[in-house]
Structures are given as structure tokens and as C-alpha cells.
Amino acid sequence: MITRAEGAYLGAVRAFQNPMLDLLHKRYAPLVVSLLSLLFTSDRRQIPVSDAHTEVGDALDQLRAAGYGDDLPVGSARDVCRGWADAGWLVRQVLDDDVEVYRLSAHAVGALEVAGRAGGARARVSQSRVRTLLDAVERLAQDADPDVMVRIARLDTEIARLRQELERVERTGQVDTVDDEQLVEEAENVVHLVRELPADFARVAESIRAMQRDVVHALRQDERPTGEVLREYLERGEHVMEATPEGRAFAGALRLIGDPQRLDQLAGQLDVVLRQPFTKRLPAQQLTELRELARRIEHGLDLVFAAQREASLVITAQVRNHDPLRDRQVDELLRDVMTGLQRWMPDARRGQAADPLRRLPVAEVEHLRQTPGELRPSERPAALETWDDDGSDVSHDEARAWGGPQYALLDARLAAAAGGPGVVDVADAFNAAPDALRRPVDLLGMLELAHARGMTETDELAFVDTLRPDGTRRRFALGGVTTTMKDTDD
């Protein structure tokens, strides 16, 4: 019987066999963490193999020149990178343009996150973190409790609290302010939560790729009829996201973060936060992580969707191009050839001739089609229905509202914003335009007019709010641009 101490020890041994902990446990762990952090950033998710070898070689030369040669591994940069790939920290991949690249594995992403948290500011037990925990427990209790009356009472209490808050704000016209110290704590909590996302996304992508490898391996070894194999594996290829626990969890999270409008709302909320004075008290690294939160989510979604598309294509191509029974027959034929050579070689003499195969065996076909199929259909197709498009219910104004840019009105809007010859900011002119001129397509039209007049880019980031004819709104961010309005007499 295994004792508690032995069970705990065996569990720890299995944990340290994980490539993530193995990376942090190795002798050269500081070198691996530092170089991988330099090679891969939020804007650089993959790197060509040749470029990686060059950059790693330059970094090793700089460290040796600085006197750290005893702490560095022996070998070239190519050997170092190949060792990392064999250990499961790097993944080699060939892109569509036949370029071979390195990318971080999920284990390496997790190790870098652990090293970054250990080397940076330690998360504090703050009001924001405790509230996050309490909110999560409360949400868990609400979702787990099926009692209808308890849910109704909880909702009534929440509605009453919100109504009191609304009446107080309407009566006083003031919003309760929060001191900068608490805002800084809440921002640190957000950053702490954000740091877990890259490793989570990478683990989902890795689980999908592992499932892909398992499916292809099982398909090649399958002995069932081809039709049954086609039905099963094509279905798994179409529903690859539901085939792994990580994929099912990601699918649930995707319902919250996969909506483009929700991502736009998140970007707007972050923009409001970053404009507040308390952000000046945040370290530069945390401020950068807040700015890149939405982009980090988008990169993670792209990583998972790319793995899903690749798995679906590989599984489908394997099913379409490989017959399991035929592949098995080819394998058996090759094994028979090897067995025959092994029996013939011990007794064969040098220069002894081997009897050639004079003719191939004849295929056993029970029946061949003797007459072609009937190409003419048994019945003529039904006549096409007469379609009269003159009775359209769409008016000219409605069609024009969904049409292209209104250049004449937009040019007049730029002139009115300038108030005469001079420089006018395109984003300000667009935001001040009436609702009918603030469609997304009108933004493109105004940028075209500004480009034709001579457009100058500024270093500022501009935001514009567009309004479609159906009433939906969309906020866009673009680099600030100005144009010069000249006198019409010039």
C-alpha cells in the first residue's frame, strides 16, 4: 500500500515530467526564459527558423563576451534551438508559403508566464482580488442553485439596490468617487487576470493539435470499412472544437468574448480607463499590458481558430486521400517483401541471380459494367418561375442611404469645418457631421477627399463614431490626419 508521503512524491515526480516545469527546473532555465522572451513577443507569435538561429547566435555571442560563458550551453545556435524543440518548448511548423517557422508551445508560454510573475511585482491580497473571488463564488452559487424562489428573491434584492442607486444619482447629480489607491489595486488585478490568457489560449490550440494527431494515427491504423471511417472522422473534423475538454471550455468562453461588439465595448472601456490620472501610478509594464488586453484576446482567438482550421483540413484531407484498407494492404505487401528478402539473403551467394517477377497478378473482378448509364434525365426539369423585379419595395432614399460615399456633401462638410482656407482635422470634421453623413462608408469617402487635397498624418490616435442607416453604431480608431482647405479662387 502506498503511503501518503510516497503518493505525494510520485505526484510531484509526474508534475516535474511536464515540459513546463522541466523548463524551469533545468540548469539553463534562466537562459531559455530570457531568450524565448526576446524572440517571441505579443506582436511576434512566430519567427522563421533561420532568423531564430541568427538571433539566438547573436545573443549567445553577446553573453559570452560579457563573461557568462560558463553559464551557457555548448554548441551552435542551431543545436540550442533544436534541443528546445526536442524538449517540447518550441514547435516547428511549415506555413503555406513553404517557410518553416518556430512558435512557442503551450508549455513554454506557461513557463514564461510563471517566470514573469515570479520576477515582477507580486500580486497583493487587495479589495479588488477578494471581490473578484466573492463575485465568482456568488455566480457559482446562483448557477448551481435550482430553487426558483431563491432566484426571484435575489433578483428583487438586486433590482431594489440598483433602483436606490439610480434615484440617488438622479437626486444628487454626483457619482461616488473612488480613490486612486483602490483604482490602482483594481488595475493590478485586471493585469493579473490577463497574464493567464496567453497560456490558456495556447493550451487550447495544443489540445486541438494533439487530438488531430490522435485522429490521423487512428485513421491510418483503422481496419474498418472505408464508409464507416469517412462518416466518423469527417464528423470529428467538423466538430473538432467539442472533441477536447479545453476546446469545450473555450467554446463556452467564446460566447462571452467572441462577439465583435463586445470586443469593441472592451476597447472603449480600456480607453476610458487609460485616460484617467491614476494610470500614471502604474508601472510601464502593467500599463502596456492594459493597452494590449483587447489585442491579446484577438491574438489568442486567432491562434485557436487557426489550429481548428488546420485540424479540420488535415483530418478531412487524410480521410479523402487515404483508404485505411488499401494502406493496410500496402503495408502487408511491404512486410512480405522484407520477410522474403530476409529468408533469401542468408543462403544467397555473391552474384547469384534472383528470379524476376515476370508478370503481375491479375485482379479478381467479379463483374464489370457492360452498358453505360442513361445520361438523359427521366423527367424534364420544372420551368423557371417568372421574376418581376419592377415591384421592389425599396425606395430610392433607402437605397441611397445604403449606397456609397456622398462626396459632394462630405466636401462641403470639410469646408464648413475649416471655416475658410486652412487646416482641418478629418476626425473632428467627421464627428461634427450630421447623422446622415456619419456612415462608415462616408468615413472612407472623407479620407479619400483628404488624400486628394493633400493629407498629413499626425502622431495622435483619433476615434470616430459611425452610425449606420439601421441605427447601429460602431467606433473606429485611426491615425490622426489633417488636410488643407484652399480658397476656391486659387
Side-chain angles (χ1 to χ4, degrees), residues 55-362:
E55 295 185 23
V56 171
D58 293 341
L60 292 175
D61 292 340
Q62 295 173 10
L63 291 175
R64 291 190 180 99
Y68 298 100
D70 296 337
D71 299 329
L72 303 181
V74 178
S76 64
R78 182 189 302 271
D79 298 333
V80 172
C81 292
R82 286 180 176 177
W84 295 347
D86 294 339
W89 307 330
L90 289 180
V91 178
R92 297 173 71 113
Q93 183 179 5
V94 179
L95 302 181
D96 295 336
D97 52 359
D98 294 334
V99 176
E100 190 174 18
V101 298
Y102 282 129
R103 60 176 177 80
L104 288 176
S105 68
H107 306 296
V109 173
L112 294 183
E113 293 296 330
V114 171
R117 288 197 300 269
R122 191 173 183 83
R124 298 174 294 176
V125 180
S126 61
Q127 179 182 355
S128 177
R129 297 193 67 193
V130 173
R131 185 170 63 241
T132 301
L133 174 62
L134 296 180
D135 291 343
V137 174
E138 181 179 2
R139 173 61 61 182
L140 176 61
Q142 292 178 5
D143 295 339
D145 190 356
D147 194 325
V148 177
M149 300 306 297
V150 172
R151 178 66 61 88
I152 293 176
R154 186 182 295 112
L155 292 176
D156 288 338
T157 303
E158 184 67 15
I159 292 173
R161 185 186 65 80
L162 294 176
R163 185 178 291 111
Q164 292 177 0
E165 176 68 12
L166 177 62
E167 292 175 352
R168 186 193 64 78
V169 173
E170 290 177 345
R171 183 177 65 257
T172 61
Q174 297 179 353
V175 178
D176 292 341
T177 59
V178 180
D179 60 354
D180 290 351
E181 184 66 27
Q182 184 175 348
L183 293 175
V184 169
E185 290 181 358
E186 294 181 358
E188 291 177 347
N189 184 40
V190 172
V191 171
H192 175 73
L193 296 175
V194 169
R195 288 173 178 170
E196 302 290 340
L197 291 179
D200 293 340
F201 284 125
R203 277 190 290 270
V204 175
E206 288 290 343
S207 67
I208 294 176
R209 294 189 183 96
M211 189 276 300
Q212 166 198 322
R213 292 190 294 269
D214 294 341
V215 169
V216 172
H217 177 73
L219 179 60
R220 291 173 177 172
Q221 302 297 325
D222 212 317
E223 300 179 1
R224 292 171 294 171
T226 304
E228 182 179 348
V229 175
L230 286 173
R231 286 192 297 271
E232 177 178 345
Y233 288 109
L234 280 178
E235 182 179 358
R236 292 189 68 177
E238 293 176 357
H239 304 286
V240 65
M241 188 62 75
E242 290 80 14
T244 62
E246 293 85 357
R248 290 190 292 270
F250 173 79
L254 185 61
R255 289 191 288 269
L256 296 177
I257 61 177
D259 186 2
Q261 294 184 355
R262 187 178 293 272
L263 289 178
D264 291 340
Q265 182 181 4
L266 175 62
Q269 293 170 346
L270 290 174
D271 181 63
V272 172
V273 171
L274 293 173
R275 290 200 304 264
Q276 303 306 316
F278 81 91
T279 55
K280 297 179 181 179
R281 301 177 55 182
L282 292 174
Q285 180 182 359
Q286 294 183 357
L287 203 57
T288 302
E289 291 179 351
L290 277 179
R291 289 196 184 98
E292 296 180 350
L293 193 155
R295 186 171 59 176
R296 183 172 291 189
I297 293 177
E298 292 176 355
H299 281 318
L301 294 176
D302 292 340
L303 177 65
V304 175
F305 291 151
Q308 182 184 12
R309 289 192 299 269
E310 180 183 355
S312 299
L313 291 175
V314 170
I315 294 174
T316 304
Q318 176 69 26
V319 170
R320 288 177 177 174
N321 300 328
H322 295 272
D323 186 343
L325 295 180
R326 183 190 60 191
D327 293 345
R328 182 173 177 83
Q329 291 173 355
V330 172
D331 292 339
E332 291 178 352
L333 177 60
L334 292 176
R335 283 195 294 269
D336 291 342
V337 172
M338 296 300 297
T339 303
L341 286 174
Q342 291 174 359
R343 288 197 303 264
W344 178 75
M345 287 297 295
D347 300 332
R349 297 186 304 273
R350 183 176 181 180
Q352 179 182 351
D355 296 334
L357 182 64
R358 300 297 180 182
R359 57 185 300 177
L360 296 174
V362 179

Side-chain angles (χ1 to χ4, degrees), residues 376-389:
R376 292 173 298 180
S378 57
E379 298 180 0
R380 68 176 58 187
L384 297 177
E385 298 181 0
T386 304
W387 181 38
D388 185 9
D389 58 352

Side-chain angles (χ1 to χ4, degrees), residues 295-486:
R295 186 171 59 176
R296 183 172 291 189
I297 293 177
E298 292 176 355
H299 281 318
L301 294 176
D302 292 340
L303 177 65
V304 175
F305 291 151
Q308 182 184 12
R309 289 192 299 269
E310 180 183 355
S312 299
L313 291 175
V314 170
I315 294 174
T316 304
Q318 176 69 26
V319 170
R320 288 177 177 174
N321 300 328
H322 295 272
D323 186 343
L325 295 180
R326 183 190 60 191
D327 293 345
R328 182 173 177 83
Q329 291 173 355
V330 172
D331 292 339
E332 291 178 352
L333 177 60
L334 292 176
R335 283 195 294 269
D336 291 342
V337 172
M338 296 300 297
T339 303
L341 286 174
Q342 291 174 359
R343 288 197 303 264
W344 178 75
M345 287 297 295
D347 300 332
R349 297 186 304 273
R350 183 176 181 180
Q352 179 182 351
D355 296 334
L357 182 64
R358 300 297 180 182
R359 57 185 300 177
L360 296 174
V362 179
E364 297 180 0
V365 181
E366 296 181 358
H367 179 71
L368 291 177
R369 182 182 294 274
Q370 299 177 355
T371 58
E374 179 61 46
L375 300 180
R376 292 173 298 180
S378 57
E379 298 180 0
R380 68 176 58 187
L384 297 177
E385 298 181 0
T386 304
W387 181 38
D388 185 9
D389 58 352
D390 295 335
S392 176
D393 296 333
V394 180
S395 65
H396 175 75
D397 294 338
E398 291 175 342
R400 185 67 188 87
W402 290 98
Q406 307 178 62
Y407 291 104
L409 297 178
L410 293 173
D411 191 63
R413 180 65 244 169
L414 284 173
V423 178
V424 59
D425 186 275
V426 176
D428 293 342
F430 182 83
N431 286 327
D435 292 347
L437 287 179
R438 288 196 295 111
R439 302 175 301 161
V441 70
D442 290 324
L443 174 61
L444 295 178
M446 187 171 288
L447 290 174
E448 290 180 19
L449 294 174
H451 178 72
R453 293 180 178 275
M455 188 168 61
T456 302
E457 298 183 1
T458 65
D459 295 334
E460 298 181 356
L461 185 64
F463 296 90
V464 295
D465 295 315
T466 62
L467 178 65
R468 294 190 178 94
D470 59 359
T472 59
R473 298 179 179 273
R474 188 74 181 270
R475 164 173 270 202
F476 292 94
L478 66 155
V481 293
T482 60
T483 186
T484 303
M485 303 297 296
K486 299 180 179 180

